[in-house]
Every structure is written in structure tokens, then in C-alpha cells.
Amino acid sequence: MSPPQPMLTMTGVSKQFPGVRALSEVDFRLFPGEIHALMGENGAGKSTLIKVLTGVYPIDSGAMTLDGAPVSFGSPLQAQQGGVSTVYQEVNLCPNLSVAENIFIGREPRSFGRIQWSAVRSRAKELLARLQLDIDVTAQLRSYSLAVQQMVAIARAIDISAKVLIFDEPTSSLDKGEVAQLFRVMRQLSQSGVAIGFVTHFLDQVYEISDRITVLRNGRLVGEYLTRDLPQLELVEKMIGKELDVLERLEEQTKRAPHAVDRPLIQAVELGRKGSIEPFSLTIHAGEVVGLAGLLGSGRTEVARLLFGADRSDHGDLLVDGAPAGIRSPTAAMARDIAFCSENRRTEGLVEELTVRENMILALQASRGWSRPLPRRRQDELVAKYIQALRITPADPEQAVRNLSGGNQQKVILARWLITEPRLLILDEPTRGIDVGAKAEIQRLVVELSDGGLAVLFISAELDEVLRLSHKVAVLRDRRVVSELANDSTLDADRVMQTIASGS
Amino acid sequence: MTPALTNFTRHRLFWPLVVLALLLLANVIYRPSFVSVELREGHLYGSLIDIVRLSAPHMLVALGMTFVIATGGIDLSVGSVVAISGAIACLHISGQGDQNGIGGVLTAVALGLGLSLLLGLWNGFLVAGIGIQPIIATLILMVAGRGLAQLITQGQIITVNSSPYKLIGAGYSLTVPFSIVIALDVTGLAAALTRRSALGMIIESVGGNAEASRLAGVRSRRIILLVYVISAFCAGIAGFMESANVSGADGNSAGLWFELDAILAVVIGGTSLSGGRFSISGTVLGALIIQTLTTTVYAMNITPQTSLLFKAIVVIAVCLIQSPQFRAAVFKRRSRPVGPTTPHEPAQPPIVEASV
């Protein structure tokens, strides 16, 4: 058998943005019937490469071939017509249109200028059936979960073009079952001869599904490897480009010492909100890290939002320092020294247009009121201090925050809250979608802060992380706190999983 | 280009300045006396002075509109507020025995400002308190306000004969038209209020991302309420200028279409209609451009039938030339050699993953 011909090749691709060389001389190949993972830290150039590949940005220099013939795409539309489609983490469809309309928008089957709706519907149903999905295609897209929306995006992509399909962080917002379903579809597609590119931060997923790995670092190609030839540790080293001392130290770190219990800082007593979370009780002490474990949609975020007053409770009490606090708004929570980093960095965290400095001081300034501006010198001091402490890059306080990578944006929000000197810090998925190095730094920070007396409510889909950092773990299932487990030597991921599964 | 020059051309006020310069240049070529400014009876006279004087009320209204638009809102009621504040002030003055009494005029101004603040509170309450979309909420007062103004004037034009009041719109202070002094003072005050305190940043953060701001502890509702009050306040002052300039209040036509000119001035000045970053100096420039355009239309004897079309074309040109995409497209067409893979700068500096 002759060696397989790549479906798509990119050779010596470079891309320059004002002030930044995003890609230099990168090679990338996709083979039919293979799933190829593109790996690298935030800022390594993965997104740029994908965007160049799919025609979002023009190529500065370098060549691209598809099916052996040279190509260049001037727009995503051209790329799609040429056979290259992308499925993004945030689904790029119209939530207000029906599923069928979304699949065929812009290329509806017509006769005499009229759209043939019955054909639209039946073909949409067929396409989704190929992905083993049986849903009402006339319902609005927004009425379905993100996972289903992603399937719709995939259905649209494979119907337009079935040569190359790129998945850009498709699993970040999915729960375990949904990821499994997505992977089944990806395998099915690849077996039918589609060349699949896969961008993700989850190392486990790379090893679960990919056949080949390309690693980028700082806009340069590190290498292309067969997944089976590249042990996980080596992969991480290639991505980071240095020995893994930070990460390993954290990995090796034993359980946290049991927390010395003093008086409780925050007590939720049968706190609840109809349709959001069943009444729950939870106590957090100063210096204690409480982890929340549970599947996506189990009510983790809802607990956090009630404690912060982002949503109003309609049941039970919230006590701060032993007295009812009457927290009914974020402002009230902040007055009691509670801080909340939302899981949705872009929609609920950053003001993307503003600078790093402005984003960092926003919470402190808001609590002072607009008429008492924080003196500029004090602002600069605080911002410089946290840019250095959290190692935010680029270390330019006047940079618009939208120009930062995900991990650095997350640190900016962390800094915003640390500047307010809270007593309870609620972190909702603080490490999601950020690279390994930044993740380790944030974990280390949580340990340091709690050692210094800060109470932390730590929410993460990654059980390892929760177990590594927490003194105790509250387990949620179906919008209910089902159990509270002390993080002693007997607690491991399996037991937490069992608790989630059994619900007690 | 040298870096300094590049920085200058990239400044967001560069293109509005170019447009203003071009308009002025066109006037000078058409009528060289356009630039002459002379001192007559201790007053400055000339076309340039006229432009600035006539733009004063528009500048004020656009200033208030800037803050509203920065929060992602819009205020359609400013024209009606102009009519109402002028009407109530003139009504009060016309009822005075001595219309030239300073006390009466001050009371009239206080009444007008007080009523304007109330109207601003009403708008703010509808938007921030009840949560009605700004365009609808202020449309209510835009329509009802005309009725209110005519109610005050009893459907008549109230004329006044009060020299202290006339000062506001048509008077001079130290050779300079007094309305310019007022407009610049209010603008300076607004700039100081927003940029010396944290108000400007908070407004921009509410306009940039309202939910994120709420979760960062910003009391968004109060801020939104405040910007509508500021907007109505500015419109109220503009109402005095308008009515004082003609020594009379016409509930029907005073301040008509002001809201559109104001929105236009804000947009020309580079503040995005979707909210976020705002520019006070941009708005001032925008108001000057629009007034220059109006004056140009008159000065060049463009027939009334085509003058609106002429204005529209210039406004479209201003908006297009400010768009980097448009400039890139025009530039590219001229300089692109044949071949689809020619390297070229992206239309706008794209967002890159910052890697250091």
C-alpha cells in the first residue's frame, strides 16, 4: 500500500500582525481518515493557523494544497465551498432560526425562486440522522443544549463540504456524555474519509481520540508526531518548552492538610432559588477552600451566583460572620467582602473594550462609587503589582484587554477581585480554556491565598483540580447539593464520581 | 511615513478633522471673504463666528447624547425637551411686568432647567427602572413632549422682549458670542466631570458590557438614569439658546430634528452607537462639521430642493472615510497587482492571541 496522501498541506506558512509575528514558517498536514490534534499553549498560534487555513485571514507567505492542488481561500465562504469547514466552541449559528434553517441558510433548495421548505426539513432530518440525532428540526436552535447546537453546526459543515473539518475547542462547554457523543460522531466522520483537525486544551481527549499531533510554540512548528509515539509528559514539555517543574510539583503535592476550623465566615442555611437550585446548606470558614464537584448543569454555577447575590434567593438565609447578611445584589455581596469570578469570561467578566488597567480596577472603583475616583498613581501601583504577581503578559496596563490571550484575561479578572481584598473568593471554572502553565499558576495562587486566610469556593469540571486544592468538596447533582465530603486521604476522584452517580 | 505622522493619521479624530478642513477650504475657494473675521462695535463678526455660534445648541444636545449613546442607549426626546424648556422660560418671562428684570430671567431659566431635569428623570426611569428599550422609551417623550410644549405655549408663539434673556442666544460677552461661552463651559464641565472622576470609565464599562459591570458591583441603573438626566439638562440649556436667539418660543418647531443632528454629530465624532468608548472632543467636532455643512449649503446658494441631498452625500462620505475597511478597499483597488495571494494588511488590526 502506498503511503497515504495528505488531504491538506500547509507549507512554510507565515502570518504577521502589526507588532506580532503570529506564525512563522509553519507546516501542517491533515490526512483523510485521520484525526489530527493541533496543540500549543495560549498564544502559540493555533487559532491563527486555523483562521488562515479557513480563509478568515489571508496568508502572508507560504503555500497550501487541498487534494493535491494549490489553493488559497479569500474568505470562510470560499473555504467552505472548497471543502474546508470549521466547528467552533461558541456555535456560530443563528439561535433564533430553526434547526433546519440553520443547516441550509444561504443555500436553501429553491424552485422558481421559492424556498422548498419541505425539502429543507426532510434533508435536515436526514443529515442529523446520520449523526444519530433525532430532534424536531423546526424548533428554534436556542431551545436545544449547546451539545445539540454543535451537532447542528457539524451537520451543516458536512453537508456543505466533506473534505476537511476543523473542530476548534469543541468540547470546552460540553459535559462528559456530550463529549462522548461528539467523539463518536468525529470517529464516524473520520472513518468515512474526512480529514479532521482538532484543537483542544484537554490532554486526555487528545489521547482518547487523535491519531496524530502537531505542536506549535510561539508561532513556530515544534513538530508532528503520531499520538502513540508521544507520551503525555513529553507532549506537555514540547508545548511549554521547558521542564515541568511547576506542574510536577503541583501534581506531586499531597492532599492539603486538614483545615483548622475556626469560626465560619459564610453560612448558607437552606438557601435556594426556585428553578435554579434546591435549598442547600454550606459553610465556608476563613482560609478554607471548598470545592464544588458535579456535572455540567448540576447547579454549581447557581450556588455561586446565590452566594454572590447575582441571583436573588427565594428560600433560606445567607449568614456572614454569623449574622444574616441580606445579600440581594452583587454590590451587597461586595460590601461583605465577597468576590465572584464568573465562568463566562467574555460575557460576564471582561469589558473587552477597556484596558487592562480599567478592567482591573473596575470592581474597586465601583465599590467606591464614581464620584470618588481612585487616584491614578494608586491605580498604577495596584495594576503594576498584580501584573507582576500574576505574570500577566503583555505587561502593558494600557493594552485593550481583548488583545490578551484567554489565560491572561482570566488573570486580569482575578486581579480585579484580589484588588478588592475579599474574604471569600468564588472562582467558577477559573482554569477552563487556558493553557497548562497559566492553569498551574492559578492553582498555586489559590493555595497561597487560602494559606493567607482567604476563603475560596472553587468550582471546576476537572475533579483532579478540585481534589488537589480543596479542604472539602460539596457534590452536586441535578441542581441539588447531594453530599459534602471531607477531602481526607480516603477521598479520590472515583469516590466523587460514585457520589455524583449514586446521588448520595 | 514617520511614526509620528502615522500616529497622527491613526488618531480617531484625524478623519473628522480632514473633513472639516475640506469643508472650510471649499468655502474659502468659493468665497474668499469666508475666513475674514472683523470687530464691529466690540463684537466679532464673520462666517466662522456664525458657524460656531449657531452650532452651540447642537453641540450641547450632542454632548448629552454622547453619554447616553456611550451606555448603549439613545435619546430621541432631546428636540422636544429643547422646545419645552424654551417654552416654559418664555412663558414665565412674558408674564413678568418688567421683562428685562434679571430676577425674572433667572427664575425662568431655573424653571426650564428644573423641568428638563424632571423630563430626564422620566426617560431614565423608563429605561433603567422599567427596562423599556431606550429608543421606545424616549420616543414617548419625543412625541408627547411636542404636545407638552404646545400646551405650555397654548399653541401660539410666545414672544418675549427681554434683553438679559436674549443674551443667552444672541448676545456677546467680551466680543465673543455668549452662546459659545456657555457651550464651551458646559462641555468643559462635562469633560471634567467624566474624566476627572470615574464617571467616564463607569459609563464606558456599562456600555461595553452591562452584565459584567453589574457583576463587578457597578450600579448600572443609577448610571443610566444619570446619563438621561444629563442629556435632558443639556437639551434644556440648548432650548434657552434657541428661543433667546429668536426672542420667542414655538412649541411646534423649536428643536425640530435636533435629535437626528445630535446622533449624527456623536457618530461622526467616533462614538459607537453600540456603546462603550466615547469621545467628547469628537462630538464637538461632529457638531461643528454639521453646522459648517448647513452654512455651506446656504453660502453656496445650493437650491433648497437639493440641499438636503447635498448634506446627505457629505454625511455618507464622512462616515465612509472613517471606516478603515472602506479606506483599505479603496486603497487596495488602486495598488493591488494581479494575483489572489498578494500579501496585504488586514482591513483592521485583527485580534491576535497575544504571545510574549
Side-chain angles (χ1 to χ4, degrees), chain B residues 248-268:
Chain B
D250 179 354
N252 209 11
S253 67
L256 202 61
W257 310 131
F258 264 42
E259 60 284 340
L260 301 184
D261 276 349
I263 294 168
L264 210 53
V266 173
V267 172
I268 288 176

Side-chain angles (χ1 to χ4, degrees), chain B residues 189-209:
Chain B
L189 206 67
L193 178 69
T194 48
R195 297 303 183 196
R196 302 300 290 233
S197 80
L199 185 59
M201 188 194 93
I202 299 278
I203 286 176
E204 288 174 339
S205 100
V206 170
N209 189 338

Side-chain angles (χ1 to χ4, degrees), chain A residues 226-409:
Chain A
L226 289 175
T227 308
R228 60 173 179 275
D229 295 342
L230 186 69
Q232 192 155 338
L233 198 64
E234 235 172 272
L235 168 62
V236 176
E237 278 177 12
K238 288 190 190 308
M239 285 165 59
I240 303 184
K242 61 186 174 202
E243 298 299 315
L244 281 172
D245 30 339
V246 194
L247 204 62
E248 274 172 22
R249 246 186 288 134
L250 266 175
E251 294 288 351
E252 285 165 11
Q253 191 180 7
T254 45
K255 295 265 174 183
R256 302 201 59 180
H259 182 71
V261 175
D262 51 8
R263 61 197 177 78
L265 176 64
I266 300 261
Q267 292 164 280
V269 184
E270 287 300 303
L271 194 68
R273 177 181 162 91
K274 244 187 215 100
S276 164
I277 180 98
E278 302 271 312
F280 65 92
S281 296
L282 185 68
T283 304
I284 307 175
H285 300 84
E288 187 180 35
V289 180
V290 177
L292 288 190
L295 301 177
L296 196 85
S298 61
R300 303 178 311 213
T301 299
E302 286 76 2
V303 167
R305 290 180 65 94
L306 279 192
L307 294 184
F308 186 63
D311 294 329
R312 287 187 183 179
S313 60
D314 55 15
H315 192 276
D317 287 310
L318 184 59
L319 278 55
V320 179
D321 300 323
I327 290 176
R328 303 183 65 77
S329 70
T331 323
M334 284 165 65
R336 308 308 298 260
D337 304 318
I338 301 174
F340 170 51
C341 292
S342 162
E343 63 176 330
N344 300 313
R345 259 199 314 270
R346 288 188 50 203
T347 55
E348 296 178 356
L350 297 167
V351 184
E352 293 193 306
E353 229 181 316
L354 299 189
T355 62
V356 170
R357 172 179 60 82
E358 289 169 321
N359 269 287
M360 276 193 186
I361 62 156
L362 185 59
L364 181 59
Q365 184 62 65
S367 64
R368 288 167 68 100
W370 62 263
S371 56
R372 292 201 305 133
L374 200 62
R376 184 56 190 260
R377 191 187 298 171
R378 180 91 187 103
Q379 290 184 22
D380 290 339
E381 278 171 21
L382 283 170
V383 170
K385 175 178 155 197
Y386 281 98
I387 283 181
Q388 200 190 6
L390 303 182
R391 289 197 269 159
I392 293 171
T393 54
D396 173 9
E398 300 308 315
Q399 179 78 249
V401 82
R402 70 153 73 88
N403 294 344
L404 269 60
S405 68
N408 285 303
Q409 291 181 340

Side-chain angles (χ1 to χ4, degrees), chain B residues 282-303:
Chain B
T283 296
V284 170
L285 210 50
L288 284 175
I289 288 176
I290 291 174
Q291 188 57 49
T292 308
L293 195 54
T294 311
T295 307
T296 309
V297 168
Y298 292 133
M300 293 191 171
N301 291 323
I302 294 170
T303 58

